[in-house]
Amino acid sequence: MVKNTIMILLFLGIIFAGIVGYRYLSPDEELPFDDEQEGLSEQIVFTFSHVVAENTPKGRAADKFAELVNEKSNGKIKIVVFPNGSLFSDIEDITALKEGQVHFIATSTAKMGGLSPEWAVLDLPFAFPTYEAIEEGIHGPIGTHLLDSLQKKGILGLAHWSNGFKQITSNTGPIRLPQDLQGQTIRIMNSDTLRAQYELLGAEAQPESFNDTYHLIEAGKIDGEENTISNIYSKKFYEVQKHLTISNHGYLGYVVMMDQKVWDQQSKNTQQILLEAMQETTAWNDRQAIKINEEQLELIKQNSSIQIHELSNQEKEQWKKKLDPLYDTLAATIGDKLVDELKALRTTYEMKE
Ligand code: LMR
């Protein structure tokens, strides 16, 4: 009963936000927003959908963005954030953006393969040796090229928000060496590159929606999954998994997007506020994400009996040896130039380690 009432209220809230958003975003109606006019009390409302918990790098960044936009516009622009896939799942969000059902999304870059195979460059195994390498990768020429590539799809790529490094959890373990994953069924994000990695390791890769993962583990339908500590912590995967390997084998981050048509309908003032807030949030997120993952690893250690194994340098070398051939195999679909740029970046940061 209570659940039904909450669902109805949530549904009405979404409809209301949609109507208000449409009222202010419709191409036929010019936005009346102008700082110099007096007596304008109307508010511009945007919706922002994402699939993770609020207490995660992406969840906190979305909230921070909303807070900054509110501050900078003196409350005239409101961002309503819908976390936990409560508005759209990770399977629906890009279509919803294109259809004007939501104004901002922050999709995992691994799930961008449907728009362009180039995005997979960020998913190459052990692509980034350090957090500094991640920052240069996503905010430097590689990341900028990827954001710009969205223009041809009618999408404005506003920023990259990092979550950090992925780790591996499983009920069949411990996982120390590449062969330890043989025969296991591992939930992955919907990505051909991730599938190729797990298949090379002799595992069965099963693409599933993020918010179904906990139940799939609990029901024994998959052995494990790969994710950042903050996702493992906030979705309580550590409660249903026996082993956690700190492998730092892959990057997980997001591309914040808006439909280009919706963007073009905004006044210069609104665009400037959104851009400034996005830039500040992005810099803030780079620092926060590292801290959140570190803190939540400690919480997992304190609150669970999951067995944690951190790959030694020698073990890591074995994983790289096994997975490195994928760089050449996948260059055919990702593009030689991007893969070469990534390899050069990786080498630079490996030398600094
Ligand atoms: C996942 O599906 O595991 C992640 O993309 C979830 C997220 O958005 O961090």
Side-chain angles (χ1 to χ4, degrees):
M1 179 65 190
V2 175
K3 197 174 167 205
N4 282 347
T5 313
I6 292 172
M7 290 307 287
I8 289 167
L9 285 175
L10 187 63
F11 180 71
L12 289 175
I14 293 169
I15 301 269
F16 175 72
I19 291 170
V20 177
Y22 181 79
R23 160 72 183 80
Y24 290 105
L25 297 169
S26 163
D28 299 323
E29 291 183 61
E30 271 300 297
L31 286 174
F33 188 88
D34 180 345
D35 272 349
E36 283 157 23
Q37 292 177 42
E38 279 180 36
L40 286 179
S41 58
E42 291 174 276
Q43 204 176 38
I44 303 173
V45 180
F46 295 105
T47 49
F48 191 137
S49 168
H50 68 79
V51 297
V52 293
E54 284 159 299
N55 193 19
T56 57
K58 177 162 61 176
R60 289 207 206 158
D63 291 345
K64 176 82 176 171
F65 175 60
E67 187 187 303
L68 287 173
V69 168
N70 186 52
E71 262 170 45
K72 287 176 188 290
S73 68
N74 294 321
K76 285 189 176 154
I77 310 176
K78 191 169 169 57
I79 311 279
V80 185
V81 181
F82 292 88
N84 290 311
S86 55
L87 193 52
F88 292 107
S89 75
D90 45 359
I91 296 171
E92 304 159 325
D93 63 357
I94 297 179
T95 310
L97 184 80
K98 293 297 301 163
E99 291 178 353
Q101 297 172 52
V102 62
H103 306 115
F104 290 92
I105 56 172
T107 304
S108 296
T109 55
K111 297 171 187 165
M112 295 292 284
L115 286 177
S116 160
E118 287 186 323
W119 285 89
V121 70
L122 301 178
D123 280 314
L124 287 167
F126 297 97
F128 302 110
T130 59
Y131 281 110
E132 290 73 28
I134 291 183
E135 281 192 35
E136 185 172 334
I138 60 177
H139 302 315
I142 297 174
T144 308
H145 169 81
L146 293 171
L147 290 184
D148 292 347
S149 74
L150 292 170
Q151 276 167 13
K152 359 184 224 306
K153 304 286 173 187
I155 291 175
L156 177 68
L158 285 159
H160 285 272
W161 287 351
S162 166
N163 182 326
F165 290 109
K166 284 182 295 183
Q167 322 299 348
I168 301 168
T169 63
S170 177
N171 277 333
T172 313
I175 295 160
R176 296 195 174 101
L177 297 171
Q179 55 267 33
D180 293 335
L181 277 173
Q182 221 149 32
Q184 296 204 34
T185 305
I186 301 295
R187 178 269 169 180
I188 55 162
M189 294 179 269
N190 191 8
S191 148
D192 290 344
T193 303
L194 298 181
R195 180 193 290 281
Q197 290 178 36
Y198 282 92
E199 285 179 353
L200 193 55
L201 296 167
E204 189 188 327
Q206 201 164 307
E208 297 283 356
S209 159
F210 178 58
N211 287 302
D212 289 340
T213 306
Y214 181 95
H215 297 294
L216 290 166
I217 300 171
E218 204 183 21
K221 296 211 166 118
I222 52 176
D223 295 291
E225 58 86 54
E226 53 159 28
N227 233 307
T228 55
I229 290 296
S230 68
N231 282 344
I232 294 167
Y233 176 72
S234 60
K235 289 293 170 190
K236 299 197 181 338
F237 297 158
Y238 65 92
E239 286 186 351
V240 284
Q241 294 272 256
K242 294 197 182 84
H243 301 276
L244 163 63
T245 299
I246 306 293
S247 52
N248 289 348
H249 67 282
Y251 163 73
L252 175 60
Y254 313 105
V255 50
V256 190
M257 297 179 277
M258 229 185 151
D259 185 81
Q260 185 70 49
K261 287 192 297 300
V262 172
W263 175 259
D264 292 342
Q265 286 154 17
Q266 307 311 311
S267 70
K268 286 275 167 286
N269 187 45
T270 299
Q271 289 181 348
Q272 193 186 332
I273 288 172
L274 294 176
L275 285 179
E276 273 176 22
M278 186 57 67
Q279 214 172 7
E280 281 175 41
T281 307
T282 302
W284 181 85
N285 175 67
D286 286 338
R287 298 186 303 274
Q288 285 296 311
I290 301 172
K291 194 162 159 268
I292 295 170
N293 279 297
E294 282 173 359
E295 282 170 4
Q296 294 183 343
L297 178 58
E298 287 313 307
L299 291 172
I300 291 178
K301 286 181 184 166
Q302 284 162 23
N303 295 314
S304 85
S305 54
I306 195 166
Q307 298 290 306
I308 303 180
H309 174 68
E310 183 163 356
L311 291 188
S312 67
N313 286 341
Q314 273 172 342
E315 286 166 344
K316 226 178 227 180
E317 283 315 310
Q318 296 196 47
W319 286 80
K320 285 188 190 169
K321 197 164 161 218
K322 181 79 188 168
L323 292 168
D324 271 359
L326 282 177
Y327 279 67
D328 289 337
T329 319
L330 295 170
T333 43
I334 298 172
D336 289 328
K337 187 167 173 289
L338 265 185
V339 174
D340 286 346
E341 278 182 69
L342 193 277
K343 276 185 188 165
L345 186 130
R346 171 172 141 169
T347 308
T348 307
Y349 281 91
E350 272 173 350
M351 286 181 338
K352 285 187 192 173
E353 261 190 302

mmCIF file with all atom_site columns, all heavy atoms in Angstrom, residues 29 46 50 70 96 291 303 349:
data_model
loop_
_atom_site.group_PDB
_atom_site.id
_atom_site.type_symbol
_atom_site.label_atom_id
_atom_site.label_alt_id
_atom_site.label_comp_id
_atom_site.label_asym_id
_atom_site.label_entity_id
_atom_site.label_seq_id
_atom_site.pdbx_PDB_ins_code
_atom_site.Cartn_x
_atom_site.Cartn_y
_atom_site.Cartn_z
_atom_site.occupancy
_atom_site.B_iso_or_equiv
_atom_site.pdbx_formal_charge
_atom_site.auth_seq_id
_atom_site.auth_comp_id
_atom_site.auth_asym_id
_atom_site.auth_atom_id
_atom_site.pdbx_PDB_model_num
ATOM 1  N N   . GLU A 1 29  ? 8.520  27.706 -27.974 1.00 0.00 ? 29  GLU A N   1
ATOM 2  C CA  . GLU A 1 29  ? 8.375  28.789 -27.002 1.00 0.00 ? 29  GLU A CA  1
ATOM 3  C C   . GLU A 1 29  ? 9.748  29.258 -26.568 1.00 0.00 ? 29  GLU A C   1
ATOM 4  O O   . GLU A 1 29  ? 10.514 28.522 -25.959 1.00 0.00 ? 29  GLU A O   1
ATOM 5  C CB  . GLU A 1 29  ? 7.614  28.258 -25.788 1.00 0.00 ? 29  GLU A CB  1
ATOM 6  C CG  . GLU A 1 29  ? 6.167  27.959 -26.112 1.00 0.00 ? 29  GLU A CG  1
ATOM 7  C CD  . GLU A 1 29  ? 5.453  27.519 -24.846 1.00 0.00 ? 29  GLU A CD  1
ATOM 8  O OE1 . GLU A 1 29  ? 5.395  28.302 -23.903 1.00 0.00 ? 29  GLU A OE1 1
ATOM 9  O OE2 . GLU A 1 29  ? 4.984  26.382 -24.822 1.00 0.00 ? 29  GLU A OE2 1
ATOM 10 N N   . PHE A 1 46  ? 15.263 21.123 -15.374 1.00 0.00 ? 46  PHE A N   1
ATOM 11 C CA  . PHE A 1 46  ? 15.856 20.051 -16.173 1.00 0.00 ? 46  PHE A CA  1
ATOM 12 C C   . PHE A 1 46  ? 15.852 18.769 -15.340 1.00 0.00 ? 46  PHE A C   1
ATOM 13 O O   . PHE A 1 46  ? 16.050 18.828 -14.123 1.00 0.00 ? 46  PHE A O   1
ATOM 14 C CB  . PHE A 1 46  ? 17.319 20.359 -16.502 1.00 0.00 ? 46  PHE A CB  1
ATOM 15 C CG  . PHE A 1 46  ? 17.529 21.554 -17.392 1.00 0.00 ? 46  PHE A CG  1
ATOM 16 C CD1 . PHE A 1 46  ? 17.998 22.745 -16.869 1.00 0.00 ? 46  PHE A CD1 1
ATOM 17 C CD2 . PHE A 1 46  ? 17.295 21.485 -18.756 1.00 0.00 ? 46  PHE A CD2 1
ATOM 18 C CE1 . PHE A 1 46  ? 18.228 23.847 -17.676 1.00 0.00 ? 46  PHE A CE1 1
ATOM 19 C CE2 . PHE A 1 46  ? 17.516 22.577 -19.582 1.00 0.00 ? 46  PHE A CE2 1
ATOM 20 C CZ  . PHE A 1 46  ? 17.980 23.760 -19.048 1.00 0.00 ? 46  PHE A CZ  1
ATOM 21 N N   . HIS A 1 50  ? 20.340 9.024  -13.636 1.00 0.00 ? 50  HIS A N   1
ATOM 22 C CA  . HIS A 1 50  ? 21.503 8.119  -13.603 1.00 0.00 ? 50  HIS A CA  1
ATOM 23 C C   . HIS A 1 50  ? 21.122 6.861  -12.818 1.00 0.00 ? 50  HIS A C   1
ATOM 24 O O   . HIS A 1 50  ? 20.059 6.824  -12.181 1.00 0.00 ? 50  HIS A O   1
ATOM 25 C CB  . HIS A 1 50  ? 22.749 8.814  -13.034 1.00 0.00 ? 50  HIS A CB  1
ATOM 26 C CG  . HIS A 1 50  ? 22.699 9.154  -11.587 1.00 0.00 ? 50  HIS A CG  1
ATOM 27 N ND1 . HIS A 1 50  ? 22.917 8.230  -10.595 1.00 0.00 ? 50  HIS A ND1 1
ATOM 28 C CD2 . HIS A 1 50  ? 22.458 10.336 -10.940 1.00 0.00 ? 50  HIS A CD2 1
ATOM 29 C CE1 . HIS A 1 50  ? 22.830 8.819  -9.414  1.00 0.00 ? 50  HIS A CE1 1
ATOM 30 N NE2 . HIS A 1 50  ? 22.538 10.095 -9.592  1.00 0.00 ? 50  HIS A NE2 1
ATOM 31 N N   . ASN A 1 70  ? 21.890 25.759 -9.252  1.00 0.00 ? 70  ASN A N   1
ATOM 32 C CA  . ASN A 1 70  ? 20.923 26.483 -8.424  1.00 0.00 ? 70  ASN A CA  1
ATOM 33 C C   . ASN A 1 70  ? 21.552 27.777 -7.883  1.00 0.00 ? 70  ASN A C   1
ATOM 34 O O   . ASN A 1 70  ? 20.983 28.859 -7.995  1.00 0.00 ? 70  ASN A O   1
ATOM 35 C CB  . ASN A 1 70  ? 20.474 25.564 -7.288  1.00 0.00 ? 70  ASN A CB  1
ATOM 36 C CG  . ASN A 1 70  ? 19.366 26.177 -6.463  1.00 0.00 ? 70  ASN A CG  1
ATOM 37 O OD1 . ASN A 1 70  ? 18.350 26.607 -7.018  1.00 0.00 ? 70  ASN A OD1 1
ATOM 38 N ND2 . ASN A 1 70  ? 19.560 26.263 -5.163  1.00 0.00 ? 70  ASN A ND2 1
ATOM 39 N N   . ALA A 1 96  ? 16.036 7.674  -24.303 1.00 0.00 ? 96  ALA A N   1
ATOM 40 C CA  . ALA A 1 96  ? 15.206 8.667  -23.598 1.00 0.00 ? 96  ALA A CA  1
ATOM 41 C C   . ALA A 1 96  ? 15.751 10.075 -23.825 1.00 0.00 ? 96  ALA A C   1
ATOM 42 O O   . ALA A 1 96  ? 14.984 11.027 -24.006 1.00 0.00 ? 96  ALA A O   1
ATOM 43 C CB  . ALA A 1 96  ? 15.166 8.342  -22.111 1.00 0.00 ? 96  ALA A CB  1
ATOM 44 N N   . LYS A 1 291 ? 38.697 9.627  -3.347  1.00 0.00 ? 291 LYS A N   1
ATOM 45 C CA  . LYS A 1 291 ? 38.445 9.596  -1.901  1.00 0.00 ? 291 LYS A CA  1
ATOM 46 C C   . LYS A 1 291 ? 37.283 8.641  -1.557  1.00 0.00 ? 291 LYS A C   1
ATOM 47 O O   . LYS A 1 291 ? 37.383 7.828  -0.642  1.00 0.00 ? 291 LYS A O   1
ATOM 48 C CB  . LYS A 1 291 ? 38.097 11.031 -1.472  1.00 0.00 ? 291 LYS A CB  1
ATOM 49 C CG  . LYS A 1 291 ? 38.132 11.287 -0.033  1.00 0.00 ? 291 LYS A CG  1
ATOM 50 C CD  . LYS A 1 291 ? 38.205 12.805 0.210   1.00 0.00 ? 291 LYS A CD  1
ATOM 51 C CE  . LYS A 1 291 ? 37.735 13.137 1.593   1.00 0.00 ? 291 LYS A CE  1
ATOM 52 N NZ  . LYS A 1 291 ? 36.324 13.447 1.708   1.00 0.00 ? 291 LYS A NZ  1
ATOM 53 N N   . ASN A 1 303 ? 32.949 -3.995 7.478   1.00 0.00 ? 303 ASN A N   1
ATOM 54 C CA  . ASN A 1 303 ? 31.571 -4.482 7.622   1.00 0.00 ? 303 ASN A CA  1
ATOM 55 C C   . ASN A 1 303 ? 31.282 -5.818 6.968   1.00 0.00 ? 303 ASN A C   1
ATOM 56 O O   . ASN A 1 303 ? 30.130 -6.222 6.905   1.00 0.00 ? 303 ASN A O   1
ATOM 57 C CB  . ASN A 1 303 ? 30.594 -3.452 7.034   1.00 0.00 ? 303 ASN A CB  1
ATOM 58 C CG  . ASN A 1 303 ? 30.633 -2.173 7.825   1.00 0.00 ? 303 ASN A CG  1
ATOM 59 O OD1 . ASN A 1 303 ? 30.599 -2.218 9.037   1.00 0.00 ? 303 ASN A OD1 1
ATOM 60 N ND2 . ASN A 1 303 ? 30.763 -1.061 7.140   1.00 0.00 ? 303 ASN A ND2 1
ATOM 61 N N   . TYR A 1 349 ? 52.917 6.670  -18.428 1.00 0.00 ? 349 TYR A N   1
ATOM 62 C CA  . TYR A 1 349 ? 52.603 6.565  -16.991 1.00 0.00 ? 349 TYR A CA  1
ATOM 63 C C   . TYR A 1 349 ? 53.171 5.287  -16.359 1.00 0.00 ? 349 TYR A C   1
ATOM 64 O O   . TYR A 1 349 ? 53.431 5.271  -15.164 1.00 0.00 ? 349 TYR A O   1
ATOM 65 C CB  . TYR A 1 349 ? 51.088 6.705  -16.770 1.00 0.00 ? 349 TYR A CB  1
ATOM 66 C CG  . TYR A 1 349 ? 50.698 8.168  -16.841 1.00 0.00 ? 349 TYR A CG  1
ATOM 67 C CD1 . TYR A 1 349 ? 50.324 8.740  -18.058 1.00 0.00 ? 349 TYR A CD1 1
ATOM 68 C CD2 . TYR A 1 349 ? 50.768 8.978  -15.722 1.00 0.00 ? 349 TYR A CD2 1
ATOM 69 C CE1 . TYR A 1 349 ? 49.998 10.084 -18.145 1.00 0.00 ? 349 TYR A CE1 1
ATOM 70 C CE2 . TYR A 1 349 ? 50.449 10.324 -15.787 1.00 0.00 ? 349 TYR A CE2 1
ATOM 71 C CZ  . TYR A 1 349 ? 50.058 10.876 -16.998 1.00 0.00 ? 349 TYR A CZ  1
ATOM 72 O OH  . TYR A 1 349 ? 49.757 12.214 -17.075 1.00 0.00 ? 349 TYR A OH  1
#
